[in-house]
Amino acid sequence: MLQQYQRIMVAVDGSSESELAFKKAVNVAQRNDSELVLAHVIDTRAFQTVSSFDGMLAEQATEMAKQTLKDYEDYARKHQVTAVKTVIEYGSPKPIIAKQLPEDHDIDLIMIGATGLNAVERIFIGSVSEYVIRHAGCDVLVVRTDLENKIPEKDHTKA
């Protein structure tokens, strides 16, 4: 019998890499008749100042995440994925995507976009996708290509 994934989680953050992962996850969920869990982690460390947590910025990030997830959910449903769940979490993305969400939602496949970091940034920061590959307890698929399995061209107009 063929391996079928029951619950596929795709981590989305608004980047073009996560968009590629999302679109491929929709296709995989459709083929497997799987539940698709759309996850966005708001990195609260980005909103901390020396003295306090900036609630207004976190609130704005939450509203943007809700709208983005709603748009993704609509897209998935239009592409015949009937079971779609959206999740917003707060904290450090690496352990939340690799461990917490897969355990909480019984995920058997994580799909994630390849990092946009260069080699120096990876040394100091480490990519989320690299961390997830090393620490997840389920299968992980790192998406690098578009729906035609081609590497998207970089937009050289951006600095």
Side-chain angles (χ1 to χ4, degrees):
M1 180 162 179
L2 294 174
Q3 164 68 44
Q4 277 200 295
Y5 293 107
Q6 303 300 312
R7 272 174 224 83
I8 299 168
M9 180 179 80
V10 61
V12 293
D13 63 4
S15 68
S16 58
E17 292 86 3
S18 76
E19 176 99 7
L20 293 174
F22 163 72
K23 287 184 176 175
K24 282 211 174 174
V26 167
N27 287 353
V28 174
Q30 182 186 31
R31 284 194 309 270
N32 284 265
D33 194 26
S34 305
E35 177 179 15
L36 182 60
V37 177
L38 307 173
H40 181 81
V41 180
I42 296 174
D43 191 343
T44 52
R45 297 169 303 173
F47 304 121
Q48 293 175 357
T49 60
V50 174
S51 60
S52 67
F53 178 80
D54 191 337
M56 173 111 76
L57 287 175
E59 202 172 295
Q60 289 172 341
T62 300
E63 287 309 311
M64 285 177 56
K66 283 180 183 176
Q67 184 57 54
T68 299
L69 289 174
K70 169 94 175 74
D71 293 344
Y72 283 155
E73 181 178 3
D74 291 346
Y75 177 96
R77 290 188 188 284
K78 283 180 188 159
H79 288 81
Q80 287 75 48
V81 178
T82 55
V84 183
K85 182 188 296 185
T86 61
V87 179
I88 298 175
E89 284 291 336
Y90 302 86
S92 176
K94 292 176 184 179
I96 291 172
I97 293 168
K99 295 267 189 208
Q100 180 186 324
L101 289 174
E103 290 171 7
D104 290 352
H105 298 278
D106 198 24
I107 301 297
D108 50 10
L109 174 64
I110 299 170
M111 294 182 69
I112 192 165
T115 179
L117 299 178
N118 66 37
V120 175
E121 290 170 322
R122 278 195 303 272
I123 290 168
F124 291 108
I125 302 168
S127 74
V128 172
S129 53
E130 182 180 354
Y131 184 92
V132 172
I133 291 165
R134 292 182 185 274
H135 295 94
C138 64
D139 289 350
V140 178
L141 189 146
V142 177
V143 176
R144 298 182 186 285
T145 59
D146 62 18
L147 292 176
E148 284 80 40
N149 291 326
K150 296 192 177 5
I151 295 175
E153 295 208 17
K154 296 285 184 197
D155 184 352
H156 297 292
T157 61
K158 293 181 182 176

